[in-house]
Amino acid sequence: MTMQADDPRLIEFDVRTDEMLVNMGPQHPSTHGVLRLVLRTDGEIVSETTPHIGYLHRCAEKIGENLTARQFIPYTDRMDYLAGMNMNLGWSLAVEKLLQMEIPEKGRHLRVMIVELNRIASHLLGMGAYGLDLGTFSPFLYAFREREKILDLFEAVCGARLTYSYLTIGGATHDLPPGWLQQCEAFLDQFEPNIEEYHTLLTTNQIFVKRTAGIGLLPAEMAISYGCTGPVLRGSGVDCDLRRDGEPIYTRMYEGYDFEIICERDGHYPDDYDYPPVPKEAQLGDCWHRFYVRMLEVVQSVSLIRQAMDKYSQTAGDYGIPVRFNHKLPAGEAYLETESSRGWMGFHIVSDGTAVPLRARARSGCFSNLSVIGEIGHGCLIADIPAIVGSLDLLMGEIDR
Amino acid sequence: MAETESSEQPELSWLEGTVLPALEKSFPEEIVGCTTEVLDPWIEVRPESIASVCRFLRDDPEFHMDMLTNISAVDYFEPDPKKAKRFKYDPHLELVYHLWSTHSKRRLILKLMLPRWKNDQAGQLPEVPSVNSIWRTADWHEREIYDLMGIFFLGHPHLRRILCPEDWVGHPLRKDYEMPLEYHGIRNR
């Protein structure tokens, strides 16, 4: 977005101040971790945004070259630590692709249930933190109220609340505890009507709309060229979701499931649910749309979990036995991308025939999503920068790996 | 654990029947070959012509590969002389480009082989043309590869380190990289 001379936000267009370099971060609360942005500003207007990353770089890829495939699972948790299950799944599927291994049907339904639950938790935090970025505290508390319940469910499953290492190569470390499905059902029943509340708190909130609608416009071509994925890409109106368009080994997981890919088609969103209308100020590809896509995805995830619970309880058999820690990998390579909550998480595993991979490359969705900020943060106000950063829903653990 | 059935056959016939002939017609000299007997079939390209092949794949309406999802660099090298006997590969670097089309939802993998060091002189980084002007994703991906794997991308507008500090020495993902004992007074071991 470039400032026009007749923009009402500008009082005097001709009055220019000295250019100033402003450091945002790495400890700025609105930068979601340790992201440092260097802004070149002319008064209130940002003429250049340069992100500096690497403060959380742990060289996870190098660690992956020194551990066996299954030992690497806990390190994937620490990439996107708000969607650990999605990371576990990405690595597990990539290794399973290399091993040409298929997990039992029951295990697939279990995985759908777990990753979609994690997607809700991750989107809830994204929503709450976005509210914080824009100066409202309450949505954060509401989001955490529900997120805590999801974490409780995960704790019951695997004992961990953040770094799960639950889904693993060959299935999951163990089956669901008795009574878990009922607890999950009770949570969904309680959670679903509350989504309305979030929409009232943020989506249709006039202040929120003013802060986000028309800000940080990301046209579809630019999003594709920069490799933006996930809700950021779909917020620009590109109909792409790996759960439908991915590779067979991944899409087979979602076979037989009924879900919709959230994105604006022909000027409107899917209308099978009572969504709040799109405000007239909002333009496709702005911060508001990216936020909205996430909110609607939560509803889809709830429906997916319900279907998965049905299928899981109706399927007989095993949830999948994990491979041994020193399981040998065949020589060769495999690359697989999965739809994580923040974008496509791709793992490229190269093996020379031993148990330890020769290369464990992690392609992170946020890494590419962040790279676009120099482009969309051009010409906006300083106060819009947190709005743009928040709408990309960045997580530095995944960017720096 | 059953073997996965070969559900990627249509992808393979598309690669062999459509992509490869079109590329070989437009770039008779530049295409080294196509490897299909693997999980992810790839087309190998000469390093110096990667940019023109990529531009063709992006702009040709038949392929429309408008998205570069990932670039991986792999170091095929075994520093341990005991293990090196069992290591089947000649030492080299590989760059793997994973392309995707938002129109046809098809994926395509390009590969190129590079020497570990330019002119076999240790310390001289191998060079390859940048695809930054074709897909902007490459901007950060190439910076990351330069930083961690030590491959120089010709024509990249600002090729500098991205994850490691600016004054870092060496390229950590190289197999023969040795961790420095000290960095600005911080002891590592």
Side-chain angles (χ1 to χ4, degrees):
Chain A
M1 192 194 73
T2 340
M3 274 284 174
Q4 297 298 317
D6 55 352
D7 195 302
R9 283 177 292 182
L10 277 178
I11 302 162
E12 289 167 280
F13 194 77
D14 294 334
V15 181
R16 289 198 178 267
T17 50
D18 282 341
E19 280 203 336
M20 196 158 69
L21 279 180
V22 180
N23 245 313
M24 262 179 116
Q27 267 86 31
H28 194 279
S30 79
T31 51
H32 293 248
V34 279
L35 165 66
R36 175 171 154 231
L37 295 172
V38 178
L39 312 178
R40 183 180 293 280
T41 59
D42 177 14
E44 275 292 305
I45 300 159
V46 178
S47 56
E48 197 185 324
T49 314
T50 319
H52 290 257
I53 61 174
Y55 294 90
L56 208 55
H57 179 48
R58 294 148 294 179
C59 224
E61 294 178 6
K62 188 79 176 178
I63 296 172
E65 293 174 7
N66 292 291
L67 296 173
T68 65
R70 204 180 149 197
Q71 282 173 332
F72 189 53
I73 291 272
Y75 292 88
T76 61
D77 273 325
R78 284 147 183 84
M79 289 183 189
D80 186 348
Y81 42 79
L82 297 179
M85 296 288 192
N86 284 285
M87 299 288 115
N88 295 166
L89 178 77
W91 175 251
S92 305
L93 279 173
V95 179
E96 282 162 19
K97 181 179 173 184
L98 181 66
L99 292 170
Q100 293 199 299
M101 168 184 189
E102 202 176 347
I103 71 159
E105 195 189 344
K106 193 163 185 171
R108 290 209 294 269
H109 298 317
L110 174 89
R111 283 182 169 184
V112 171
M113 200 160 29
I114 295 290
V115 295
E116 293 301 326
L117 209 51
N118 205 173
R119 195 186 307 275
I120 296 180
S122 162
H123 281 350
L124 277 178
L125 193 122
M127 179 210 92
Y130 198 26
L132 278 184
D133 290 348
L134 300 177
T136 166
F137 196 73
S138 335
F140 186 70
L141 300 175
Y142 282 84
F144 262 59
R145 179 187 64 187
E146 313 293 2
R147 186 171 172 268
E148 282 301 301
K149 287 177 185 148
I150 298 179
L151 297 193
D152 286 345
L153 286 172
F154 285 155
E155 197 179 356
V157 162
C158 62
R161 294 174 69 83
L162 202 65
T163 47
Y164 313 106
S165 306
Y166 175 57
L167 302 183
T168 186
I169 302 149
T173 52
H174 40 265
D175 205 357
L176 299 173
W180 191 86
L181 286 180
Q182 285 77 14
Q183 287 173 32
C184 186
E185 179 89 55
F187 163 73
L188 292 180
D189 289 342
Q190 177 258 328
F191 171 69
E192 215 169 357
N194 286 352
I195 298 174
E196 191 78 41
E197 219 168 49
Y198 303 134
H199 284 309
T200 329
L201 273 168
L202 280 179
T203 319
T204 53
N205 182 323
Q206 196 52 40
I207 304 167
F208 178 78
V209 172
K210 288 243 175 214
R211 287 293 306 276
T212 55
I215 306 292
L217 274 180
L218 174 63
E221 302 78 57
M222 193 194 281
I224 292 168
S225 170
Y226 273 89
C228 296
T229 46
V232 177
L233 183 64
R234 290 191 288 276
S236 295
V238 182
D239 188 1
C240 276
D241 190 316
L242 286 180
R243 286 175 286 177
R244 181 197 60 197
D245 309 325
E247 286 187 44
I249 189 165
Y250 182 50
T251 49
R252 202 179 294 128
M253 238 176 80
Y254 288 92
E255 233 170 49
Y257 282 87
D258 182 29
F259 69 104
E260 204 149 0
I261 285 149
I262 304 297
C263 115
E264 198 188 77
R265 296 181 193 89
D266 311 322
H268 52 84
Y269 280 92
D271 42 15
D272 58 334
Y273 173 77
D274 191 17
Y275 302 131
V278 179
K280 57 182 185 309
E281 303 96 305
Q283 299 168 42
L284 192 61
D286 64 1
C287 295
W288 190 88
H289 275 271
R290 287 192 280 277
F291 172 81
Y292 192 57
V293 165
R294 275 187 203 101
M295 293 302 286
L296 302 198
E297 273 185 16
V298 167
V299 183
Q300 293 299 321
S301 291
V302 170
S303 141
L304 275 168
I305 297 167
R306 282 193 197 282
Q307 295 172 47
M309 286 200 300
D310 273 353
K311 287 178 200 271
Y312 176 82
S313 46
Q314 282 162 18
T315 313
D318 203 15
Y319 60 92
I321 301 296
V323 299
R324 280 176 291 117
F325 275 94
N326 56 355
H327 194 89
K328 244 189 181 175
L329 302 168
E333 58 185 287
Y335 179 69
L336 187 78
E337 279 161 342
T338 53
E339 185 81 33
S340 175
S341 51
R342 286 180 177 72
W344 296 2
M345 192 66 202
F347 283 103
H348 184 212
I349 173 166
V350 183
S351 164
D352 60 350
T354 57
V356 179
L358 185 72
R359 180 84 166 95
R361 158 91 175 138
R363 181 256 186 227
S364 129
C366 286
F367 185 77
S368 296
N369 289 355
L370 173 63
S371 66
V372 82
I373 200 165
E375 202 87 39
I376 62 176
H378 179 79
C380 68
L381 297 173
I382 296 178
D384 290 338
I385 290 288
I388 294 172
V389 172
S391 78
L392 296 173
D393 196 11
L394 302 168
L395 196 103
M396 295 316 288
E398 193 192 331
I399 294 171
D400 294 343
R401 297 170 308 249
Chain B
M1 289 167 207
E3 289 269 307
T4 35
E5 66 258 58
S6 50
S7 43
E8 275 157 286
Q9 285 308 313
E11 291 284 318
L12 189 61
S13 59
W14 174 72
L15 183 76
E16 281 185 314
T18 315
V19 185
L20 196 61
L23 281 179
E24 278 175 340
K25 194 176 154 221
S26 309
F27 303 96
E29 299 290 308
E30 287 89 336
I31 305 296
V32 181
C34 179
T35 309
T36 51
E37 304 292 304
V38 286
L39 284 167
D40 290 325
W42 70 77
I43 294 177
E44 196 192 325
V45 181
R46 279 192 206 288
E48 58 277 10
S49 51
I50 182 72
S52 47
V53 172
C54 284
R55 194 175 293 279
F56 170 78
L57 285 170
R58 185 196 66 177
D59 294 338
D60 193 276
E62 200 182 339
F63 304 116
H64 218 294
M65 290 289 162
D66 49 0
M67 200 155 161
L68 172 72
T69 64
N70 179 39
I71 311 178
S72 290
V74 190
D75 186 7
Y76 285 88
F77 182 65
E78 180 52 69
D80 188 345
K82 279 180 200 154
K83 289 182 189 165
K85 283 176 199 151
R86 274 180 287 145
F87 195 71
K88 298 184 288 290
Y89 309 93
D90 293 329
H92 68 283
L93 290 174
E94 261 176 35
L95 276 180
V96 193
Y97 294 74
H98 298 267
L99 318 185
W100 204 70
S101 166
T102 53
H103 296 259
S104 63
K105 319 275 188 207
R106 284 188 194 274
R107 66 204 77 243
L108 185 64
I109 298 175
L110 298 181
K111 233 185 206 195
L112 54 88
M113 311 284 171
L114 290 170
R116 291 191 80 244
W117 302 109
K118 189 185 169 190
N119 305 330
D120 280 331
Q121 284 182 318
Q124 284 207 23
L125 302 186
E127 290 165 351
V128 66
S130 165
V131 294
N132 178 41
S133 59
I134 302 162
W135 300 286
R136 298 304 308 274
T137 330
D139 184 343
W140 280 25
H141 277 261
E142 286 176 353
R143 276 178 68 188
E144 188 185 332
I145 290 169
Y146 163 72
D147 184 357
L148 301 181
M149 198 57 102
I151 295 174
F152 194 86
F153 290 92
L154 298 164
H156 192 290
H158 43 83
L159 196 68
R160 52 175 197 269
R161 287 184 184 269
I162 187 166
L163 291 174
C164 292
E166 278 166 30
D167 57 352
W168 197 261
V169 180
H171 304 282
L173 279 182
R174 288 277 182 136
K175 292 282 181 188
D176 50 1
Y177 173 77
E178 274 178 38
M179 186 80 172
L181 293 172
E182 198 191 71
Y183 175 71
H184 289 289
I186 309 164
R187 269 195 291 153
N188 275 330
R189 269 172 230 184

